Amino acid sequence: MIDLTDAIVLARLQFAFTISFHIIFPATSIGLASFLAFVHWRWLRTGEEIFLTLFDYWIKPFAVVFGMGVVSGLMMSYEFGTNWSVFSDKAGPVIGPLMGYEVMTAFFVEAGFLGVMLFGRDRVGPRLHFFASFMVAAGTLASAFWILSVNSWMQTPAGYSINDAGQFVPEDWFEIVFNPSFPYRLVHMVFAAYLTTALVIAGTGAFHLLRNNENQPVRKMFSMALWFIAVIAPLQILAGDQHGLNTYEHQPAKVAALEGHFKTRSAAPEYLFGWPNMETGEIDYAVSIPYLGSWILTHDFHAEIIGLDQFDRQDWPNVPILFWSFRIMVGLGLLFFCLGLMGLVQRFRGRLYDSRLLAVCALLLGPTGYVALLCGWITTEVGRQPYTIYGLLRTVDSASPVAAPAVATSLIAIVLVYLFIFGLGTVYVLRLLAQMPPNSPAQLSRGLLDQGGRRAVKILKLLKFGRGAR
Amino acid sequence: MDFALIWAFILAVAVFVYVALDGFDLGVGILFPLLRDEEERDTAISAIAPVWDGNETWLVLGGGGLLAAFPLAYSVIFPALYVPLIVMLLALIFRGVAFEYRVHSRKRKWFWDRAFFGGSLMAAFSQGIALGAWLQGIEVTGRAYAGGWWDWVSPFSVATGLAVVCGYALLGAAWINLKTEGPLQKRVETLIRPLAAGTVGFIVAVSAWTPLLDGRYSLRWFAWPTMLYAVPVPILVGLTVLALWRSIETGRAMRAFLCAEALFLLCYIGLGISVWPDIVPTNISIHEAAAPDKSLGFLLVGAVVMVPAILIYTAAAYWIFRGKVRHGGYHH
C-alpha cells in the first residue's frame, strides 16, 4: 500500500513526521507563555511569593520547550522549498506573505523578548520584565493566528485567482486571511493549546500532590489548572462542534470519511466503533446509535447526510485513519470534560487537594492532551487529501523534482536526529517537572486565615499606592 | 514603484543581518574546542545566550521572505541546495538545543559541548557550501530545478564553505574579545589576527575564482563602466584590514568587532555586484521570480512598520545585555 521508493510518499512521510513533532512544542509554548504571563501579572499585582515561585518553576521547562519549538520550526519553514517546491511556487504569492507576517509579528517578538524574560530579571525593572513575558505570550498567539490562516486557506481557499504560470494570485487579502474555516480553526487550536498545557500543569500538580499535599505552590498550580480545564473543556467541545458544522459545509467529503458515511442517506446513525472498509464501502463490526449522526451534523434527526458516494473514488481521503483519529480526539475531549467536572465537585466538597482519585485521574490524563491535539490535526490534514490546496492542487502535483534517494536519506537522518534530540528534551523536561517547587514559608498558613491575610495585604497595598478598588 | 527591487533589497538586508549576527554566535561555537575549562565555556555561552534566538530568526525571515516575495526562486534554489540545507538545519537543531541541554544534562555535559561545537561548525560549513553552489549557477528547466541532488559539490563550493567557517570564527573571536575579560579575553585576542589573515586569504581566492565560473561575472568586474562600482570594494577591504590590525594593537575591542563585520559587509556587496540582476544565477532574474505586486505590496506594509520596530527592540535587547559577561553569566 505504501510505496517507499516513491519520492512523494517519502516527502509526505517526512512532512507528517516533522510537523507532528513540531506542533507539540508550539502548542505547549502557547499555553505556557500565557500561563507564565498570567502568574507574572498576579505576582506584580499582589506581591505574593507563591506566584514568583510558580513563575520560576515553569519558566525552566518553558525555555527547553521553546528552544525545541524554534529549531523544529526552522525545519518546517525550509521544508516547503526542499520537498514541496511546486506547491511553493504556485501557492507562494498567497501563503508566503502570511508566513512573512508570522515571522515579523510573532517570531521576532518572541525571540526579542524571550532573552529579557529568561535572563533579564536583574537587569530590567519589574514592569519591563513583565512586559517581556506579556510580549512573548502575545507573540505565540500572533504566530497561531497567521499559521492557522495559512492552513485554513489551504483547506478552504478564498480571495484568489490563477495566473498564466499556474500560480495562485491574491485578489482580496481580507478574504484570504479570514477564509471560511479560519475563525473556527483558530479558536479550536488556541483552546487545544490551552487545554493541553492545563492538563500538563494539572498532571504535574497531581504527581506532587500524591506525595505531599501540603506544598502550597503545588496546590496553587493544581487548583488553577483544574479551574481552567473546567471552563475550557466544555467550550472546546462547543468550538469543535461549530468547527465540524463548518467543515461539513465546505469539505463534506472529509466529514463523510471521519463519520464513516459511505452512502448518502437520511436519518444517518452515529458510529461509535467499527472498522471502515474502503473496498466494500461498509463499516465492519459497527456499533452505532441510530439518528445521532444526522443530529450531530445538522441538529436534525432526520436530515439527509452526504456520503462518500457523492465523490469520485480518487477524491476520497483515507477513511480508517480519519474515522479513528476523530474518535480518539472526541473521546479524550469528553474525558477532559469529566475531569473538569470532577475537579469542580471536589472543590465544592473542599477535597480538591485530598481526593486521591482526582489526583490519579489528572496524572493519567496529563499527557493525553497531546494525543488529542495530534489526532485533531491528523483528522483535518489527512482529511484534506488528496489535495494540498483543497479541490485545486493535488498532493501528487505539489512535490519537488528531487530524487527519491535524497528524500529517503534526509527522512532517515531527520527521524534519527528528532528521536534523539526531542526524546532527550522530553527527559529533561520531565526531570524538571519531577522536582517539587520550594514551599515558601509565608504560605504555610491555610484556609480562611490565609485568605484573610491575603486580603489584608491587598487592602494595605491599595491604601499605600492609592489605587482605586477594583 | 518597483516592489520587486524593494523586496530584493529588504531580503538582502535580512540575509546580511543574519550573517552578521548569527555569524558571531556560530563563530563562538566554532572556537569552543579552544576554550580551556568548564568556566570558560559557560562564560562564552553566556555571552550569546540572550541573543542567539533573535539572531537565528533572521534566517527564518530570509527563508520565509523568499517564499513570499520570490516564490519561483524559493522553489528552484531549495531543491538545488537540498543536501546542504538539510545538513544546516539538523546542525542548527543540535546546537540550538545544546544551549539548554548542557545546563540540564547531568553526566553528558561534555557531549552537548561537542554537539554545540559540531553543530556550529557544520551549520557554518553548509551555509558556505550553499553560497558557493548558488553562485556557481543552478540548472533550470521551465519553472523547476533540473539538476541532480549532488550538483552542489564542487571544489568552489567547498572553498566557500571553508571561507565562511573561517570568517565566522573571526566574528566569534572578536565577540568573545568584546564580551569577556581576563585570561580568556587575552588568549582569544591573539587569535583575531591569524583568523583575519585567513579570512582575507579566502576572500582573495574566492574573488579570483568567481569570474572564472561564468563569463557574466568577469564582465561585471573587468569591463567598463561596471568596474566603477567594483573597484572600490577591494580597496575598502584593504583599509578595513588595516583598521582591524590597529584596533587590536590599541586594544579597542568594539572597533575590532565592527571591522570584522565590515569585512563581511564588503564581501556581501561584492557578491551583489557579481550576481546582479539575477536571483538564481545565471538563469532567473529578480523580476522574473517576483510574486505579483499584490503580494509584495501587502507584505511591504507590514515590513515598513515591523522591520524598524524589530531593529529597535533588537538593539534594545543588545543594550540591556551590554558590557562584559561576569563569571557564571545569566541564569533563569
Side-chain angles (χ1 to χ4, degrees):
Chain A
M1 195 173 86
I2 295 177
D3 179 9
L4 288 178
T5 57
D6 181 352
I8 288 174
V9 171
L10 291 165
R12 285 184 64 185
L13 277 176
Q14 184 168 323
F15 203 88
F17 181 82
T18 47
I19 200 150
S20 299
F21 255 95
H22 174 65
I23 191 64
I24 290 171
F25 307 125
T28 314
S29 317
I30 291 170
L32 270 186
S34 293
F35 176 76
L36 285 166
F38 180 72
V39 295
H40 202 162
W41 174 69
R42 293 302 298 154
W43 174 48
L44 208 62
R45 292 286 305 180
T46 66
E48 286 174 40
E49 199 65 23
I50 196 166
F51 291 114
L52 183 60
T53 310
L54 284 177
F55 183 84
D56 285 343
Y57 182 78
W58 282 101
I59 201 163
K60 292 189 185 86
F62 175 73
V64 179
V65 169
F66 196 93
M68 294 195 284
V70 169
V71 291
S72 61
L74 189 62
M75 178 65 88
M76 303 304 318
S77 79
Y78 279 73
E79 208 173 341
F80 282 105
T82 50
N83 286 339
W84 301 100
S85 64
V86 178
F87 167 81
S88 300
D89 178 30
K90 292 194 166 158
V94 171
I95 65 164
L98 302 183
M99 293 201 212
Y101 268 100
E102 186 189 17
V103 178
M104 292 190 297
T105 62
F107 294 165
F108 273 113
V109 173
E110 291 167 2
F113 288 97
L114 185 73
V116 180
M117 181 187 180
L118 293 181
F119 306 107
R121 191 189 295 163
D122 305 330
R123 295 191 159 232
V124 299
R127 276 162 196 283
L128 185 53
H129 190 222
F130 165 70
F131 182 70
S133 298
F134 173 79
M135 288 305 284
V136 170
T140 60
L141 290 172
S143 174
F145 177 92
W146 291 111
I147 204 66
L148 282 156
S149 180
V150 170
N151 181 269
S152 300
W153 186 83
M154 289 165 66
Q155 304 271 359
T156 52
Y160 65 91
S161 63
I162 296 174
N163 72 6
D164 297 338
Q167 288 178 307
F168 293 86
V169 176
E171 289 298 330
D172 183 335
W173 279 108
F174 189 84
E175 276 185 33
I176 291 171
V177 175
F178 295 94
N179 60 76
S181 65
F182 170 61
Y184 301 94
R185 204 180 304 276
L186 177 66
V187 170
H188 202 39
M189 175 60 193
V190 171
F191 280 179
Y194 279 173
L195 196 51
T196 301
T197 310
L199 285 162
V200 170
I201 296 173
T204 307
F207 175 74
H208 295 300
L209 273 184
L210 285 169
R211 293 187 302 172
N212 170 11
N213 68 357
E214 294 295 324
N215 183 300
Q216 295 302 319
V218 165
R219 286 166 160 248
K220 191 87 193 169
M221 72 169 87
F222 189 66
S223 165
M224 285 171 78
L226 278 177
W227 263 126
F228 206 84
I229 294 166
V231 175
I232 294 289
L235 287 177
Q236 177 70 320
I237 291 171
L238 201 66
D241 173 59
Q242 293 298 311
H243 185 28
L245 296 183
N246 178 268
T247 308
Y248 184 58
E249 186 185 337
H250 294 279
Q251 298 174 305
K254 182 194 281 187
V255 173
L258 66 84
E259 289 289 17
H261 292 150
F262 285 99
K263 293 179 187 70
T264 304
R265 58 170 290 186
S266 48
E270 175 69 18
Y271 297 103
L272 296 181
F273 295 99
W275 187 258
N277 188 328
M278 287 177 78
E279 304 305 319
T280 59
E282 303 281 343
I283 306 285
D284 299 341
Y285 321 109
V287 178
S288 63
I289 300 176
Y291 301 106
L292 188 61
S294 285
W295 186 79
I296 286 177
L297 290 173
T298 59
H299 297 185
D300 168 6
F301 285 108
H302 296 282
E304 188 179 77
I305 297 299
I306 299 168
L308 284 166
D309 54 6
Q310 305 272 324
F311 306 93
D312 277 351
R313 180 66 177 78
Q314 57 159 1
D315 294 338
W316 290 10
N318 184 301
V319 184
I321 292 179
L322 280 186
F323 185 86
W324 274 105
S325 62
F326 178 69
R327 264 150 197 76
I328 295 169
M329 174 189 75
V330 171
L332 285 170
L334 294 173
L335 283 180
F336 304 154
F337 176 73
C338 294
L339 180 67
L341 218 56
M342 232 170 122
L344 283 181
V345 170
Q346 297 296 14
R347 192 188 298 272
F348 290 116
R349 289 176 64 202
R351 290 180 43 79
L352 186 63
Y353 311 115
D354 306 319
S355 163
R356 289 190 74 82
L357 180 66
L358 177 65
V360 169
C361 289
L363 180 60
L364 290 177
L365 285 176
T368 57
Y370 296 111
V371 179
L373 179 81
L374 284 173
C375 283
W377 274 108
I378 289 168
T379 304
T380 202
E381 293 295 277
V382 175
R384 196 192 57 228
Q385 300 299 331
Y387 299 100
T388 47
I389 301 172
Y390 197 68
L392 297 167
L393 182 64
R394 283 183 175 268
T395 309
V396 288
D397 301 325
S398 302
S400 298
V402 176
V407 188
T409 312
S410 68
L411 175 61
I412 292 166
I414 287 169
V415 169
L416 291 177
V417 169
Y418 272 44
L419 290 178
F420 175 66
I421 293 270
F422 300 127
L424 261 179
T426 310
V427 169
Y428 293 146
V429 169
L430 289 177
R431 213 185 259 172
L432 287 169
L433 296 184
Q435 292 167 10
M436 196 172 286
N439 198 359
S440 50
Q443 299 298 328
L444 280 176
S445 57
R446 292 172 58 191
L448 281 174
L449 192 67
D450 186 29
Q451 290 283 325
R454 275 183 213 164
R455 207 130 297 148
V457 169
K458 210 176 223 174
I459 290 165
L460 281 174
K461 279 203 164 152
L462 287 175
L463 289 173
K464 197 170 163 193
F465 296 111
R467 285 190 197 127
R470 282 179 302 148
Chain B
M1 200 157 42
D2 193 334
F3 284 135
L5 288 187
I6 295 173
W7 268 106
F9 179 73
I10 294 175
L11 285 184
V13 170
V15 172
F16 179 72
V17 174
Y18 170 74
V19 170
L21 297 182
D22 212 31
F24 74 72
D25 72 53
L26 286 167
V28 170
I30 294 168
L31 296 174
F32 233 49
L34 301 175
L35 305 179
R36 292 220 169 113
D37 53 29
E38 194 79 27
E39 194 186 317
E40 287 196 357
R41 286 190 286 270
D42 286 349
T43 308
I45 286 274
S46 292
I48 52 178
V51 293
W52 76 273
D53 183 18
N55 295 349
E56 213 153 88
T57 307
W58 292 92
L59 184 63
V60 184
L61 182 63
L66 193 65
L67 168 62
F70 303 99
L72 178 59
Y74 179 89
S75 63
V76 168
I77 294 171
F78 282 33
L81 305 180
Y82 195 89
V83 176
L85 287 183
I86 297 277
V87 170
M88 173 189 84
L89 293 169
L90 291 176
L92 287 175
I93 287 178
F94 264 96
R95 94 180 263 285
V97 297
F99 278 97
E100 285 294 327
Y101 287 12
R102 64 189 294 286
V103 181
H104 297 298
S105 181
R106 285 178 200 151
K107 293 178 193 141
R108 287 180 207 85
K109 193 167 181 183
W110 62 270
F111 174 82
W112 290 111
D113 282 344
R114 280 178 202 186
F116 185 68
F117 162 68
S120 304
L121 180 72
M122 282 315 292
F125 187 55
S126 40
Q127 281 174 12
I129 288 205
L131 169 69
W134 173 75
L135 201 56
Q136 73 193 4
I138 290 172
E139 211 178 309
V140 179
T141 313
R143 293 179 73 83
Y145 173 58
W149 65 293
W150 287 99
D151 286 17
W152 52 274
V153 193
S154 71
F156 180 72
S157 69
V158 171
T160 51
L162 295 172
V164 168
V165 171
C166 184
Y168 280 0
L170 168 65
L171 292 181
W175 183 255
I176 296 177
N177 182 41
L178 175 66
K179 296 297 282 185
T180 64
E181 48 200 358
L184 173 61
Q185 183 260 330
K186 289 274 173 301
R187 204 144 33 80
V188 169
E189 193 179 28
T190 61
L191 288 174
I192 292 179
R193 279 192 275 197
L195 284 171
T199 305
V200 171
F202 276 115
I203 292 174
V204 172
V206 171
S207 305
W209 202 332
T210 306
L212 306 177
L213 293 172
D214 189 276
R216 285 211 260 172
Y217 293 159
S218 60
L219 219 62
R220 185 81 62 208
W221 283 88
F222 303 117
W224 194 262
T226 45
M227 237 174 105
L228 225 51
Y229 313 114
V231 166
V233 176
I235 297 171
L236 288 172
V237 168
L239 292 175
T240 308
V241 173
L242 281 180
L244 178 60
W245 243 250
R246 281 280 302 152
S247 35
I248 296 296
E249 262 166 31
T250 52
R252 294 185 175 186
M254 180 54 107
R255 188 177 291 183
F257 177 70
L258 292 178
C259 285
E261 292 284 10
L263 273 183
F264 269 82
L265 181 61
L266 289 167
C267 293
Y268 197 72
I269 291 170
L271 204 66
I273 292 172
S274 298
V275 297
W276 175 266
D278 287 346
I279 196 163
V280 180
T282 52
N283 281 307
I284 301 173
S285 75
I286 289 169
H287 282 103
E288 285 164 345
D293 276 358
K294 200 135 188 177
S295 304
L296 298 176
F298 175 67
L299 191 56
L300 190 59
V301 176
V304 166
V305 178
M306 287 308 298
V307 172
I310 292 164
L311 286 171
I312 288 168
Y313 69 66
T314 302
Y318 274 83
W319 178 252
I320 288 170
F321 294 101
R322 70 192 175 276
K324 303 277 185 188
V325 178
R326 308 274 164 228
H327 164 60
Y330 322 112
H331 291 289
H332 61 76

